Amino acid sequence: MVKSGILAAVAIIGLAATAQAGEVKHGNDAKEVSVPFANRNITDFRADGRDAVYLQVNGFDWYHAQLMGPCTDLPFAERIGVETRGTDTLDRYATLIVRGQRCQLSSLVKGAPPKKAKKR
């Protein structure tokens, strides 16, 4: 009994330390990120189907935002809005506004869209 109690305590402490450090890992070992002042500086976006989108901030860095569910019009959108709920930080708690539809993010990690194949 004592061993299992100690192991549980160690596991809880490890989870708490991970959460405080903001190191939530995904299947591809990417870490959750938050980008200050990004909601006003998104310079490009590319739909990744209906469930995710690539967002470019300040013309340089790309981020991959996974959505909680399908955002029907995302592949056809010419522009999007971002709602960050009163802060200037883009993170997994933000919401995309696509043709009037609210699309809640579930994760945000650093990552660029795949390169397009050159036409021959």
Side-chain angles (χ1 to χ4, degrees):
M1 289 302 259
V2 174
K3 280 188 178 180
S4 65
I6 292 171
L7 291 175
V10 170
I12 291 170
I13 291 169
L15 288 174
T18 300
Q20 287 177 352
E23 295 186 14
V24 178
K25 293 195 175 188
H26 295 268
N28 61 358
D29 287 334
K31 295 178 184 175
E32 285 288 336
V33 297
S34 60
V35 186
F37 309 112
N39 65 336
R40 290 180 271 150
N41 297 314
I42 295 175
T43 53
D44 197 3
F45 74 96
R46 295 189 188 150
D48 185 11
R50 296 181 315 151
D51 299 314
V53 63
Y54 290 97
L55 302 169
Q56 186 179 41
V57 178
N58 292 325
F60 300 104
D61 295 325
W62 284 93
Y63 300 89
H64 189 252
Q66 188 69 39
L67 304 174
M68 283 192 176
C71 191
T72 310
D73 289 334
L74 184 58
F76 313 105
E78 294 176 6
R79 59 187 159 189
I80 61 173
V82 177
E83 182 179 88
T84 57
R85 299 180 191 225
T87 68
D88 279 345
T89 302
L90 177 65
D91 57 22
R92 68 184 190 160
Y93 303 108
T95 302
L96 296 182
I97 310 298
V98 180
R99 294 184 175 176
Q101 181 182 6
R102 299 174 59 78
C103 307
Q104 179 67 46
L105 272 60
S106 62
S107 75
L108 181 68
V109 297
K110 195 161 187 169
K115 302 273 185 195
K116 292 183 179 179
K118 292 183 181 178
K119 294 181 182 180
R120 295 180 184 215

